[in-house]
Amino acid sequence: MSAQCEVVGKKAAAAPISFFERYLSLWVFLCIVAGTAFGQAAPDLAQAVGALEIAHVNLPVGLLIWVMIIPMLMKIDFGALHEVREQKAGMAVTLFVNWAVKPFTMALLGWIFIRHVFAPWLPAEQLDSYIAGLILLGAAPCTAMVFVWSNLCRGNANFTLTQVALNDLVMVFAFAPIVALLLGVSSIPVPWDTLTLSVLMYIVIPLAIAQFIRARLLRRGRAALDAALARIGPFSILALLATLVLLFSFQGGTIIAQPAIIAMLAVPILLQTLFIAALGYGLNRKLKVRHDVAGPSTMIGASNFFELAVAVAIVLYGFDSGAALATVVGVLIEVPVMLWLVKMVTRTRRWYERALPASA
């Protein structure tokens, strides 16, 4: 392992959770209130903003989403991919859970709870849309916050960096086919043209821009990249919150009429998060993967790239869709649940390491 890669890895995963990130659930709740109030007080203005679109892409939201996603994608170091062989078992668990299990269990839980358990209390015309939103969440493993979760559970920095790079590479090619497959299995029409456009707009192009900016900054040294990321990081969170205000300006009426919808959507998301975390952690222990690798391997599957899920839901189904609302519920519950999981991974370290060889 090169010294440069080791330094880069430590930088990537060493930042503690920021003030904005720690209280993200609170900010999302305040956005629900602000957006709902805005939509009720100025419905014409909210509709006018929603009408600013080209080829079914809302221009204000498109701009906000790029501001939200590009700083996160600038953290990805594809040069770390050669380190995959260093922790093959942990990487195999990451790929298996993220791409062979997680999207499908999310679709299954959506079918159980949205189609059956909670169906009598949900708007019938939005059931397909709610399930679509859950599928989008399940098909988007975490890209940015996993660095925070890895640091908090004392994860291996180089492994974290490498698994994120590998997952983003897989996501470029696998996201659209998996989403389309699960939508089809769920008997939801698959808008292939819009789905392909979404992948192009919110994965391929931002990733290319982010990597171009990253390369230019690295020519001036690692310190230049770190300084730039520190400066633009808050704008990413602010763009997410602004997007949520706009979204809830359309969703406010539904929430006021049926506030329990958010709680019902949260149930399958919460169960999915806990199941995927337990599966990843258990598989890593079974394969005798080091604890500092098992932590980030578990966290990337349990967490979601919710920024991408929100963006694609809006493009595919619109601001006022159940899909958009479902993805935002994922944002609402992610931080407190992930912080609890971090504590569990940290507290169970001794139990975990009893299964490892003495030299591990």
Side-chain angles (χ1 to χ4, degrees), residues 72-73 76 78 81 99 141-144 162-174 203 207 300 305:
M72 299 174 183
L73 297 179
I76 306 304
F78 286 109
L81 285 174
W99 300 106
C142 188
T143 287
T162 305
Q163 72 167 354
V164 169
L166 183 58
N167 269 277
D168 275 50
L169 185 63
V170 173
M171 186 163 55
V172 170
F173 301 99
I203 299 180
L207 187 59
I300 195 171
F305 190 0

Side-chain angles (χ1 to χ4, degrees), residues 70-325:
I70 287 176
M72 299 174 183
L73 297 179
M74 285 172 61
K75 298 177 181 179
I76 306 304
D77 178 14
F78 286 109
L81 285 174
H82 70 281
E83 301 294 335
V84 168
R85 64 181 182 274
E86 296 291 330
Q87 290 293 340
K88 291 182 288 188
M91 201 65 67
V93 171
T94 294
L95 292 175
F96 173 72
V97 170
N98 282 350
W99 300 106
V101 178
K102 182 180 177 181
F104 303 94
T105 54
M106 188 74 266
L108 176 62
L109 288 169
W111 178 78
I112 292 172
F113 286 95
I114 304 303
R115 286 254 194 243
H116 297 283
V117 177
F118 297 139
W121 298 281
L122 292 170
E125 70 279 3
Q126 290 285 7
L127 294 183
D128 284 352
S129 192
Y130 292 142
I131 293 175
L134 296 177
I135 288 171
L136 290 171
L137 271 177
C142 188
T143 287
M145 289 294 284
V146 68
F147 290 111
V148 175
W149 311 135
S150 175
N151 179 55
L152 292 177
C153 68
R154 302 172 188 170
N156 182 282
N158 290 310
F159 176 81
T160 304
L161 191 68
T162 305
Q163 72 167 354
V164 169
L166 183 58
N167 269 277
D168 275 50
L169 185 63
V170 173
M171 186 163 55
V172 170
F173 301 99
F175 180 79
I178 287 177
V179 168
L181 171 65
L182 292 174
L183 290 177
V185 170
S186 302
S187 301
I188 300 171
V190 180
W192 264 109
D193 53 346
T194 310
L195 181 58
T196 303
L197 176 64
S198 299
V199 171
L200 184 66
M201 285 190 59
Y202 298 127
I203 299 180
V204 178
I205 294 177
L207 187 59
I209 293 172
Q211 290 298 300
F212 174 77
I213 297 172
R214 176 187 174 89
R216 292 293 297 268
L217 288 169
L218 283 174
R219 290 178 187 175
R220 292 156 47 192
R222 178 73 200 189
L225 174 62
D226 291 340
L229 288 173
R231 286 196 303 270
I232 66 177
F235 292 102
S236 180
I237 298 293
L238 291 173
L240 170 64
L241 298 181
T243 302
L244 298 185
V245 170
L246 289 176
L247 190 153
F248 279 103
S249 69
F250 289 90
Q251 297 280 1
T254 301
I255 294 170
I256 290 173
Q258 293 181 284
I261 287 177
I262 290 180
M264 286 185 278
L265 290 173
V267 171
I269 298 173
L270 176 60
L271 292 176
Q272 161 86 348
T273 302
L274 297 178
F275 169 73
I276 291 298
L279 177 63
Y281 200 47
L283 286 175
N284 276 295
R285 188 173 189 261
K286 184 73 173 178
L287 294 174
K288 304 188 185 306
V289 175
R290 291 195 336 242
H291 188 269
D292 66 337
V293 169
S297 174
T298 300
M299 294 301 145
I300 195 171
S303 186
N304 299 304
F305 190 0
F306 51 73
E307 297 86 355
L308 174 65
V310 170
V312 177
I314 291 172
V315 173
L316 288 179
Y317 301 102
F319 270 117
D320 57 349
S321 66
L325 180 60

Side-chain angles (χ1 to χ4, degrees), residues 33-95:
V33 175
T36 300
F38 173 58
Q40 297 298 303
D44 293 339
L45 180 57
Q47 292 294 331
V49 173
L52 297 173
E53 61 178 40
I54 296 176
H56 303 292
V57 176
N58 184 272
L59 297 180
V61 171
L63 177 61
L64 286 170
I65 287 170
W66 275 29
V67 173
M68 178 169 58
I69 290 177
I70 287 176
M72 299 174 183
L73 297 179
M74 285 172 61
K75 298 177 181 179
I76 306 304
D77 178 14
F78 286 109
L81 285 174
H82 70 281
E83 301 294 335
V84 168
R85 64 181 182 274
E86 296 291 330
Q87 290 293 340
K88 291 182 288 188
M91 201 65 67
V93 171
T94 294
L95 292 175

